[in-house]
Amino acid sequence: MGKKGKKEKKGRGAEKTAAKMEKKVSKRSRKEEEDLEALIAHFQTLDAKRTQIVETPCPPPSPRLNASLSVHPEKDELILFGGEYFNGQKTFLYNELYVYNIRKDAWTKVDIPSPPPRRCAHQAVVVPQGGGQLWVFGGEFASPNGEQFYHYKDLWVLHLATKTWEQVKDYIYYNDVYAFNLDTFTWSKLSPSGMGPTPRSGCQMSVTPQGGIVIYGGYSKQRVKKDMDKGTRHSDMFLLKPEDGREDKWVWTRMNPSGVKPTPRSGFSVAMAPNHQTLFFGGVCDEEEEESLAGEFFNDLYFYDATRNRWFEGQLKGPKSEKKKRRRGRREEPEGGSKLACGGAGTQAPVEVVKEVVTEDGTVVTIKQVLSAPGSAGQPQSEDEDSLEEAGSPTSGPCPRSNTMLAVKHGVLYVYGGMFEAGDRQVTLSDLHCLDLHRMEAWKTLVEMDPETQEWLEETDSEEDSEEVEGAEGGDEDEDEDSGEESGAED
């Protein structure tokens, strides 16, 4: 028994040591990648000092490998870009651009502002569009000692006619439609007739009583000028339905619902409400500037009735014993802007009246509306909480948020989690609220959460905490070995 116990203990010790070493290797890898990113950023700072195009006749380039050599599509020239060189002690990476004139047997070094970061082993291809373009994708950057590597996944294009570099921030939106057969477990692509939604992300889908599918909202970006994108929050609606009752043929129809419509937003959530209505909750309206992005979060409710093709804003009535008091409170409430930070789930949230003139792109009509207080419509908290027999207590409801989870069961809406932002901090929520959609009286909080208690780690704090955790596990011998290895890598 004693020998067996020793073996088991030794086995557990080996497992613990292996797990500990795996954690150290993972931490070291993260740190090495951060060090390489800092080194790349340093080189980019040096490259940023180039302000104009300079072409200089020069001798042949220095020795290198893993560069790209491309043929100019219109001229008798070869284009050399990037590469690496190792002298036995140190690795050098390049982002230099050389042009070799075949007829003249002459080299020219071309310095261009804002080039790609230094790299080797990238992919390059030349196309004739626009006077010739050199496309560069990916590649690798290595530390000077050649022991650490960073792999790119960026895309660049060199416009040969104007000798300008441009980074292509690649995003592709789709508007195709697929159907999945629950009997055969197979996918099929649909080809609906009619004009459907433009390509986008983040749109929401719901089913109509007649078997159609409603597509609402979404988000997309488009290039408005060089190195500048503009986001569009869509508020248009489309209906996809079987044509002439046939399941193999579909048609798009543009919808223009009446009623009180939600302001354009992204990150809202959808659930099916009683009476075949579609419920929309929350979301965020991001205001994009050239150097910043600010978001206004919502916690309002909207219902879309497909049968009547009409929007309704969800207004809470309040408990019956408090109706008169609540109406009086609404008349006295001042208007106020939304707050990104909110208190605990059971605390009174500030009243918010959102005033916004919404201008959609050319395909959507202009909407102007005034919204009442989101979610609870600014209802004060009931003084008779203790008299309620059901689980939970009436509150001002979920604070403004986006990307929350919704579910409806027995006519009750459940709202769980989501997120909102306060400055540079993202607050991820875990509270749970419910609302009786038949009564529409008051929110009830089932699980509370105070966002102020959520830990937010800056990058430096995360590293320190990781070191403390590893130190607390013991194993001084392993710690010493690890320190020695890290010091050697730095040398």
Side-chain angles (χ1 to χ4, degrees):
M1 294 294 292
K3 291 183 178 179
K4 183 178 180 181
K6 289 182 179 179
K7 289 182 178 179
E8 291 178 350
K9 185 175 181 181
K10 185 177 181 181
R12 289 195 298 270
E15 292 176 359
K16 184 178 179 181
T17 301
K20 183 177 176 183
M21 292 303 298
E22 182 178 353
K23 183 184 293 185
K24 290 180 180 178
V25 170
S26 177
K27 175 194 168 186
R28 190 181 310 156
S29 298
R30 290 196 304 271
K31 188 176 187 304
E32 290 175 352
E33 184 170 328
E34 292 170 359
D35 292 342
L36 289 181
E37 290 176 346
L39 186 57
I40 293 171
H42 169 70
F43 285 133
Q44 285 184 293
T45 301
L46 299 179
D47 292 335
K49 296 179 180 179
R50 304 180 190 176
T51 59
Q52 56 185 345
I53 301 171
V54 178
E55 299 184 50
T56 308
C58 63
S62 59
R64 63 193 63 197
L65 72 157
N66 288 328
S68 60
L69 186 64
S70 308
V71 176
H72 196 293
E74 297 180 353
K75 301 179 181 180
D76 292 331
E77 293 179 347
L78 303 180
I79 305 169
L80 179 70
F81 173 74
E84 65 175 317
Y85 171 71
F86 179 62
N87 66 1
Q89 292 184 347
K90 188 174 182 180
T91 300
F92 298 84
L93 275 297
Y94 306 105
N95 62 349
E96 301 167 327
L97 185 73
Y98 291 92
V99 175
Y100 175 68
N101 190 303
I102 299 175
R103 293 182 179 275
K104 297 181 180 179
D105 186 25
W107 286 93
T108 301
K109 184 180 180 184
V110 185
D111 291 317
I112 301 175
S114 304
R118 305 178 184 206
R119 67 189 63 203
C120 65
H122 51 277
Q123 299 297 319
V125 63
V126 171
V127 296
Q129 282 85 347
Q133 297 173 345
L134 171 67
W135 289 83
V136 174
F137 175 76
E140 181 180 87
F141 181 87
S143 62
N145 60 13
E147 295 182 359
Q148 303 171 24
F149 302 92
Y150 180 90
H151 296 94
Y152 296 102
K153 55 181 179 181
D154 50 354
L155 179 64
W156 294 77
V157 57
L158 173 63
H159 300 280
L160 299 176
T162 59
K163 294 184 174 60
T164 55
W165 281 107
E166 177 186 0
Q167 183 178 6
V168 180
K169 297 179 180 178
D170 198 15
Y171 47 81
I172 302 176
Y173 296 97
Y174 297 93
N175 61 349
D176 46 358
V177 184
Y178 289 81
F180 182 74
N181 190 305
L182 297 175
D183 296 323
T184 62
F185 284 20
T186 57
W187 285 98
S188 60
K189 184 174 182 179
L190 305 183
S191 300
S193 59
M195 184 66 69
T198 57
R200 63 191 62 190
S201 67
C203 59
Q204 295 289 0
M205 305 171 65
S206 61
V207 180
T208 68
Q210 296 77 24
I213 300 173
V214 173
I215 307 291
Y216 173 74
Y219 181 84
S220 64
K221 280 187 175 182
Q222 59 182 349
R223 182 64 52 85
V224 293
K225 61 174 69 173
K226 183 181 178 181
D227 299 328
M228 182 180 295
D229 301 324
K230 181 180 181 181
T232 299
R233 299 179 300 273
H234 299 281
S235 61
D236 47 1
M237 179 179 286
F238 293 83
L239 174 65
L240 179 64
K241 64 179 181 179
E243 188 172 4
D244 301 327
R246 297 172 52 182
E247 295 185 357
D248 61 339
K249 197 172 183 180
W250 296 76
V251 59
W252 283 112
T253 303
R254 175 71 177 269
M255 306 289 287
N256 290 297
S258 59
V260 181
K261 306 174 184 179
T263 57
R265 63 190 69 183
S266 59
F268 55 89
S269 302
V270 168
M272 295 306 298
N275 301 322
H276 302 289
Q277 293 183 335
T278 304
L279 180 151
F280 292 77
F281 173 81
V284 59
C285 175
D286 289 322
E287 295 296 335
E288 297 182 68
E289 302 293 340
E290 291 190 16
E291 300 295 334
S292 64
L293 178 66
E296 180 181 8
F297 291 78
F298 302 95
N299 60 352
D300 43 2
L301 277 173
Y302 287 89
F303 296 87
Y304 172 68
D305 190 324
T307 304
R308 291 187 279 179
N309 192 27
R310 184 178 179 86
W311 283 103
F312 297 91
E313 185 180 8
Q315 295 283 359
L316 301 191
K317 305 172 184 176
K320 294 181 180 179
S321 60
E322 296 292 323
K323 280 186 178 179
K324 293 183 179 179
K325 183 174 181 180
R326 289 176 184 272
R327 290 196 193 100
R328 192 179 308 119
R330 280 201 297 270
R331 285 195 292 268
E332 296 171 357
E333 290 164 353
E335 296 184 356
S338 64
K339 293 185 178 181
L340 291 179
C342 64
T347 60
Q348 179 69 38
V351 176
E352 176 187 21
V353 177
V354 180
K355 293 184 179 180
E356 181 175 357
V357 178
V358 182
T359 304
E360 185 58 79
D361 55 351
T363 61
V364 179
V365 297
T366 301
I367 304 170
K368 182 177 181 180
Q369 65 183 88
V370 178
L371 298 181
S372 61
S376 63
Q379 308 284 358
Q381 186 171 344
S382 170
E383 297 176 358
D384 299 329
E385 294 176 357
D386 297 337
S387 65
L388 295 175
E389 298 179 354
E390 299 180 28
S393 58
T395 67
S396 58
C399 66
R401 62 188 69 192
S402 70
N403 304 96
T404 189
M405 284 63 72
L406 303 184
V408 176
K409 183 68 173 179
H410 300 311
V412 177
L413 168 66
Y414 294 87
V415 175
Y416 174 79
M419 61 83 70
F420 68 89
E421 296 170 346
D424 294 331
R425 177 182 177 184
Q426 175 179 304
V427 180
T428 305
L429 301 165
S430 62
D431 49 352
L432 177 64
H433 306 264
C434 69
L435 175 66
D436 190 320
L437 297 175
H438 295 294
R439 298 180 179 180
M440 290 295 290
E441 291 181 353
W443 285 100
K444 293 177 184 177
T445 298
L446 304 178
V447 177
E448 294 187 357
M449 175 191 174
D450 183 0
E452 296 296 332
T453 63
Q454 185 175 93
E455 185 178 32
W456 177 256
L457 300 177
E458 300 294 341
E459 190 169 348
T460 53
D461 295 336
S462 178
E463 287 292 328
E464 292 173 0
D465 292 344
S466 178
E467 291 174 1
E468 291 176 1
V469 170
E470 291 186 3
E473 292 181 352
D476 295 336
E477 182 178 349
D478 291 335
E479 292 290 333
D480 293 339
E481 293 177 359
D482 184 57
S483 299
E485 291 176 5
E486 290 186 349
S487 298
E490 291 176 359
D491 292 337

PDB file of all heavy atoms in Angstrom, residues 19 36 72 108 112 161 175 206 211 235 248 270 276 306 343 348 352 380 385 398 406 415 424 447 449:
ATOM      1  N   ALA A  19       1.309  20.483 -15.963  1.00  0.00           N
ATOM      2  CA  ALA A  19       0.325  21.557 -16.129  1.00  0.00           C
ATOM      3  C   ALA A  19       0.946  22.913 -15.847  1.00  0.00           C
ATOM      4  O   ALA A  19       0.670  23.906 -16.523  1.00  0.00           O
ATOM      5  CB  ALA A  19      -0.867  21.314 -15.200  1.00  0.00           C
ATOM      6  N   LEU A  36       7.384  41.132 -29.624  1.00  0.00           N
ATOM      7  CA  LEU A  36       7.546  41.291 -31.065  1.00  0.00           C
ATOM      8  C   LEU A  36       6.639  42.390 -31.607  1.00  0.00           C
ATOM      9  O   LEU A  36       7.042  43.156 -32.477  1.00  0.00           O
ATOM     10  CB  LEU A  36       7.248  39.967 -31.769  1.00  0.00           C
ATOM     11  CG  LEU A  36       8.287  38.853 -31.592  1.00  0.00           C
ATOM     12  CD1 LEU A  36       7.873  37.628 -32.368  1.00  0.00           C
ATOM     13  CD2 LEU A  36       9.660  39.327 -32.045  1.00  0.00           C
ATOM     14  N   HIS A  72       6.734  43.529 -63.242  1.00  0.00           N
ATOM     15  CA  HIS A  72       5.843  44.654 -63.507  1.00  0.00           C
ATOM     16  C   HIS A  72       4.932  44.296 -64.681  1.00  0.00           C
ATOM     17  O   HIS A  72       5.408  43.784 -65.710  1.00  0.00           O
ATOM     18  CB  HIS A  72       6.652  45.913 -63.826  1.00  0.00           C
ATOM     19  CG  HIS A  72       5.865  47.175 -63.740  1.00  0.00           C
ATOM     20  ND1 HIS A  72       4.839  47.484 -64.618  1.00  0.00           N
ATOM     21  CD2 HIS A  72       5.948  48.230 -62.873  1.00  0.00           C
ATOM     22  CE1 HIS A  72       4.327  48.657 -64.305  1.00  0.00           C
ATOM     23  NE2 HIS A  72       4.976  49.126 -63.243  1.00  0.00           N
ATOM     24  N   THR A 108      17.087  50.492 -58.589  1.00  0.00           N
ATOM     25  CA  THR A 108      16.614  51.731 -57.956  1.00  0.00           C
ATOM     26  C   THR A 108      15.911  51.370 -56.650  1.00  0.00           C
ATOM     27  O   THR A 108      15.047  50.476 -56.619  1.00  0.00           O
ATOM     28  CB  THR A 108      15.619  52.482 -58.858  1.00  0.00           C
ATOM     29  OG1 THR A 108      16.258  52.801 -60.097  1.00  0.00           O
ATOM     30  CG2 THR A 108      15.141  53.761 -58.187  1.00  0.00           C
ATOM     31  N   ILE A 112       8.886  54.699 -49.991  1.00  0.00           N
ATOM     32  CA  ILE A 112       7.502  55.151 -50.080  1.00  0.00           C
ATOM     33  C   ILE A 112       6.940  55.307 -48.666  1.00  0.00           C
ATOM     34  O   ILE A 112       7.151  54.432 -47.814  1.00  0.00           O
ATOM     35  CB  ILE A 112       6.652  54.140 -50.878  1.00  0.00           C
ATOM     36  CG1 ILE A 112       7.219  53.973 -52.289  1.00  0.00           C
ATOM     37  CG2 ILE A 112       5.184  54.564 -50.942  1.00  0.00           C
ATOM     38  CD1 ILE A 112       6.522  52.901 -53.100  1.00  0.00           C
ATOM     39  N   ALA A 161       1.419  52.760 -60.346  1.00  0.00           N
ATOM     40  CA  ALA A 161       1.357  53.998 -61.127  1.00  0.00           C
ATOM     41  C   ALA A 161       1.637  55.223 -60.256  1.00  0.00           C
ATOM     42  O   ALA A 161       2.310  56.157 -60.670  1.00  0.00           O
ATOM     43  CB  ALA A 161      -0.011  54.126 -61.794  1.00  0.00           C
ATOM     44  N   ASN A 175     -25.356  38.618 -48.503  1.00  0.00           N
ATOM     45  CA  ASN A 175     -26.817  38.664 -48.442  1.00  0.00           C
ATOM     46  C   ASN A 175     -27.429  37.439 -49.114  1.00  0.00           C
ATOM     47  O   ASN A 175     -28.547  37.494 -49.625  1.00  0.00           O
ATOM     48  CB  ASN A 175     -27.357  39.949 -49.091  1.00  0.00           C
ATOM     49  CG  ASN A 175     -26.989  40.053 -50.558  1.00  0.00           C
ATOM     50  OD1 ASN A 175     -26.175  39.290 -51.070  1.00  0.00           O
ATOM     51  ND2 ASN A 175     -27.589  41.005 -51.249  1.00  0.00           N
ATOM     52  N   SER A 206     -36.890  36.705 -38.004  1.00  0.00           N
ATOM     53  CA  SER A 206     -38.013  36.157 -37.262  1.00  0.00           C
ATOM     54  C   SER A 206     -39.009  35.563 -38.250  1.00  0.00           C
ATOM     55  O   SER A 206     -38.986  35.886 -39.437  1.00  0.00           O
ATOM     56  CB  SER A 206     -38.683  37.236 -36.395  1.00  0.00           C
ATOM     57  OG  SER A 206     -39.179  38.280 -37.215  1.00  0.00           O
ATOM     58  N   GLY A 211     -45.543  31.773 -42.439  1.00  0.00           N
ATOM     59  CA  GLY A 211     -44.401  30.983 -42.870  1.00  0.00           C
ATOM     60  C   GLY A 211     -43.325  31.779 -43.579  1.00  0.00           C
ATOM     61  O   GLY A 211     -42.398  31.194 -44.149  1.00  0.00           O
ATOM     62  N   SER A 235     -31.918  50.188 -40.884  1.00  0.00           N
ATOM     63  CA  SER A 235     -33.213  50.058 -40.203  1.00  0.00           C
ATOM     64  C   SER A 235     -34.289  49.635 -41.192  1.00  0.00           C
ATOM     65  O   SER A 235     -35.473  49.834 -40.939  1.00  0.00           O
ATOM     66  CB  SER A 235     -33.594  51.391 -39.539  1.00  0.00           C
ATOM     67  OG  SER A 235     -33.710  52.414 -40.515  1.00  0.00           O
ATOM     68  N   ASP A 248     -40.222  25.565 -53.002  1.00  0.00           N
ATOM     69  CA  ASP A 248     -38.961  25.585 -53.733  1.00  0.00           C
ATOM     70  C   ASP A 248     -38.706  26.913 -54.428  1.00  0.00           C
ATOM     71  O   ASP A 248     -37.706  27.077 -55.130  1.00  0.00           O
ATOM     72  CB  ASP A 248     -38.929  24.462 -54.768  1.00  0.00           C
ATOM     73  CG  ASP A 248     -40.047  24.600 -55.805  1.00  0.00           C
ATOM     74  OD1 ASP A 248     -41.044  25.287 -55.500  1.00  0.00           O
ATOM     75  OD2 ASP A 248     -39.911  24.032 -56.898  1.00  0.00           O
ATOM     76  N   VAL A 270     -33.530  39.581 -30.278  1.00  0.00           N
ATOM     77  CA  VAL A 270     -34.866  39.280 -30.785  1.00  0.00           C
ATOM     78  C   VAL A 270     -35.387  37.996 -30.156  1.00  0.00           C
ATOM     79  O   VAL A 270     -34.628  37.054 -29.926  1.00  0.00           O
ATOM     80  CB  VAL A 270     -34.844  39.138 -32.320  1.00  0.00           C
ATOM     81  CG1 VAL A 270     -36.134  38.545 -32.837  1.00  0.00           C
ATOM     82  CG2 VAL A 270     -34.607  40.487 -32.970  1.00  0.00           C
ATOM     83  N   HIS A 276     -47.648  35.694 -32.003  1.00  0.00           N
ATOM     84  CA  HIS A 276     -46.782  35.705 -33.186  1.00  0.00           C
ATOM     85  C   HIS A 276     -46.122  37.072 -33.421  1.00  0.00           C
ATOM     86  O   HIS A 276     -45.804  37.413 -34.552  1.00  0.00           O
ATOM     87  CB  HIS A 276     -47.576  35.302 -34.432  1.00  0.00           C
ATOM     88  CG  HIS A 276     -48.207  33.949 -34.323  1.00  0.00           C
ATOM     89  ND1 HIS A 276     -47.475  32.788 -34.359  1.00  0.00           N
ATOM     90  CD2 HIS A 276     -49.512  33.587 -34.165  1.00  0.00           C
ATOM     91  CE1 HIS A 276     -48.290  31.746 -34.232  1.00  0.00           C
ATOM     92  NE2 HIS A 276     -49.525  32.209 -34.108  1.00  0.00           N
ATOM     93  N   ALA A 306     -46.425  41.196 -37.427  1.00  0.00           N
ATOM     94  CA  ALA A 306     -46.338  40.902 -38.852  1.00  0.00           C
ATOM     95  C   ALA A 306     -47.711  40.869 -39.509  1.00  0.00           C
ATOM     96  O   ALA A 306     -47.848  41.184 -40.694  1.00  0.00           O
ATOM     97  CB  ALA A 306     -45.622  39.566 -39.066  1.00  0.00           C
ATOM     98  N   GLY A 343     -25.997  51.172 -12.101  1.00  0.00           N
ATOM     99  CA  GLY A 343     -25.788  50.537 -10.814  1.00  0.00           C
ATOM    100  C   GLY A 343     -26.189  49.090 -10.859  1.00  0.00           C
ATOM    101  O   GLY A 343     -26.284  48.476 -11.900  1.00  0.00           O
ATOM    102  N   GLN A 348     -32.508  51.929  -8.901  1.00  0.00           N
ATOM    103  CA  GLN A 348     -33.300  52.774  -9.774  1.00  0.00           C
ATOM    104  C   GLN A 348     -32.435  53.360 -10.881  1.00  0.00           C
ATOM    105  O   GLN A 348     -31.442  54.017 -10.620  1.00  0.00           O
ATOM    106  CB  GLN A 348     -33.923  53.907  -8.944  1.00  0.00           C
ATOM    107  CG  GLN A 348     -34.751  54.874  -9.758  1.00  0.00           C
ATOM    108  CD  GLN A 348     -36.012  54.208 -10.265  1.00  0.00           C
ATOM    109  OE1 GLN A 348     -36.612  53.412  -9.575  1.00  0.00           O
ATOM    110  NE2 GLN A 348     -36.416  54.535 -11.469  1.00  0.00           N
ATOM    111  N   GLU A 352     -34.429  58.179 -19.212  1.00  0.00           N
ATOM    112  CA  GLU A 352     -33.746  58.544 -20.447  1.00  0.00           C
ATOM    113  C   GLU A 352     -34.772  58.820 -21.524  1.00  0.00           C
ATOM    114  O   GLU A 352     -35.637  57.995 -21.809  1.00  0.00           O
ATOM    115  CB  GLU A 352     -32.822  57.413 -20.900  1.00  0.00           C
ATOM    116  CG  GLU A 352     -32.156  57.700 -22.224  1.00  0.00           C
ATOM    117  CD  GLU A 352     -31.388  56.495 -22.730  1.00  0.00           C
ATOM    118  OE1 GLU A 352     -31.717  55.388 -22.277  1.00  0.00           O
ATOM    119  OE2 GLU A 352     -30.495  56.656 -23.565  1.00  0.00           O
ATOM    120  N   PRO A 380     -41.092  54.780 -11.429  1.00  0.00           N
ATOM    121  CA  PRO A 380     -40.389  54.668 -10.148  1.00  0.00           C
ATOM    122  C   PRO A 380     -40.610  53.303  -9.541  1.00  0.00           C
ATOM    123  O   PRO A 380     -41.583  52.624  -9.853  1.00  0.00           O
ATOM    124  CB  PRO A 380     -41.037  55.767  -9.291  1.00  0.00           C
ATOM    125  CG  PRO A 380     -42.385  55.954  -9.886  1.00  0.00           C
ATOM    126  CD  PRO A 380     -42.243  55.692 -11.349  1.00  0.00           C
ATOM    127  N   GLU A 385     -43.164  46.265  -2.693  1.00  0.00           N
ATOM    128  CA  GLU A 385     -42.470  45.098  -3.177  1.00  0.00           C
ATOM    129  C   GLU A 385     -42.756  43.877  -2.321  1.00  0.00           C
ATOM    130  O   GLU A 385     -42.920  42.765  -2.816  1.00  0.00           O
ATOM    131  CB  GLU A 385     -40.965  45.356  -3.220  1.00  0.00           C
ATOM    132  CG  GLU A 385     -40.550  46.409  -4.234  1.00  0.00           C
ATOM    133  CD  GLU A 385     -39.069  46.679  -4.167  1.00  0.00           C
ATOM    134  OE1 GLU A 385     -38.402  46.091  -3.300  1.00  0.00           O
ATOM    135  OE2 GLU A 385     -38.577  47.466  -4.986  1.00  0.00           O
ATOM    136  N   PRO A 398     -33.697  45.915 -16.668  1.00  0.00           N
ATOM    137  CA  PRO A 398     -32.302  45.799 -17.102  1.00  0.00           C
ATOM    138  C   PRO A 398     -31.745  47.162 -17.498  1.00  0.00           C
ATOM    139  O   PRO A 398     -32.434  47.966 -18.116  1.00  0.00           O
ATOM    140  CB  PRO A 398     -32.388  44.873 -18.322  1.00  0.00           C
ATOM    141  CG  PRO A 398     -33.736  44.221 -18.241  1.00  0.00           C
ATOM    142  CD  PRO A 398     -34.621  45.187 -17.546  1.00  0.00           C
ATOM    143  N   LEU A 406     -32.142  36.542 -24.917  1.00  0.00           N
ATOM    144  CA  LEU A 406     -33.582  36.618 -24.674  1.00  0.00           C
ATOM    145  C   LEU A 406     -34.214  35.240 -24.822  1.00  0.00           C
ATOM    146  O   LEU A 406     -33.788  34.435 -25.641  1.00  0.00           O
ATOM    147  CB  LEU A 406     -34.261  37.571 -25.654  1.00  0.00           C
ATOM    148  CG  LEU A 406     -33.784  39.018 -25.740  1.00  0.00           C
ATOM    149  CD1 LEU A 406     -34.684  39.782 -26.709  1.00  0.00           C
ATOM    150  CD2 LEU A 406     -33.774  39.681 -24.383  1.00  0.00           C
ATOM    151  N   VAL A 415     -34.515  38.071 -19.731  1.00  0.00           N
ATOM    152  CA  VAL A 415     -33.373  38.809 -20.263  1.00  0.00           C
ATOM    153  C   VAL A 415     -32.159  38.470 -19.410  1.00  0.00           C
ATOM    154  O   VAL A 415     -32.160  38.703 -18.190  1.00  0.00           O
ATOM    155  CB  VAL A 415     -33.625  40.332 -20.241  1.00  0.00           C
ATOM    156  CG1 VAL A 415     -32.367  41.086 -20.677  1.00  0.00           C
ATOM    157  CG2 VAL A 415     -34.801  40.681 -21.135  1.00  0.00           C
ATOM    158  N   ASP A 424     -13.135  53.132 -21.669  1.00  0.00           N
ATOM    159  CA  ASP A 424     -12.420  52.041 -22.310  1.00  0.00           C
ATOM    160  C   ASP A 424     -12.762  50.688 -21.708  1.00  0.00           C
ATOM    161  O   ASP A 424     -12.248  49.664 -22.136  1.00  0.00           O
ATOM    162  CB  ASP A 424     -10.904  52.266 -22.200  1.00  0.00           C
ATOM    163  CG  ASP A 424     -10.453  53.486 -22.991  1.00  0.00           C
ATOM    164  OD1 ASP A 424     -11.119  53.798 -23.997  1.00  0.00           O
ATOM    165  OD2 ASP A 424      -9.452  54.101 -22.599  1.00  0.00           O
ATOM    166  N   VAL A 447     -31.910  37.589 -10.748  1.00  0.00           N
ATOM    167  CA  VAL A 447     -30.507  37.515 -10.336  1.00  0.00           C
ATOM    168  C   VAL A 447     -29.926  38.912 -10.469  1.00  0.00           C
ATOM    169  O   VAL A 447     -29.959  39.504 -11.547  1.00  0.00           O
ATOM    170  CB  VAL A 447     -29.702  36.532 -11.208  1.00  0.00           C
ATOM    171  CG1 VAL A 447     -28.227  36.538 -10.792  1.00  0.00           C
ATOM    172  CG2 VAL A 447     -30.276  35.129 -11.109  1.00  0.00           C
ATOM    173  N   MET A 449     -26.860  41.880 -10.197  1.00  0.00           N
ATOM    174  CA  MET A 449     -25.418  42.032 -10.408  1.00  0.00           C
ATOM    175  C   MET A 449     -25.078  43.502 -10.310  1.00  0.00           C
ATOM    176  O   MET A 449     -25.768  44.351 -10.878  1.00  0.00           O
ATOM    177  CB  MET A 449     -24.997  41.505 -11.777  1.00  0.00           C
ATOM    178  CG  MET A 449     -23.517  41.760 -12.065  1.00  0.00           C
ATOM    179  SD  MET A 449     -23.050  41.439 -13.769  1.00  0.00           S
ATOM    180  CE  MET A 449     -21.343  42.025 -13.742  1.00  0.00           C
TER     181      MET A 449
END
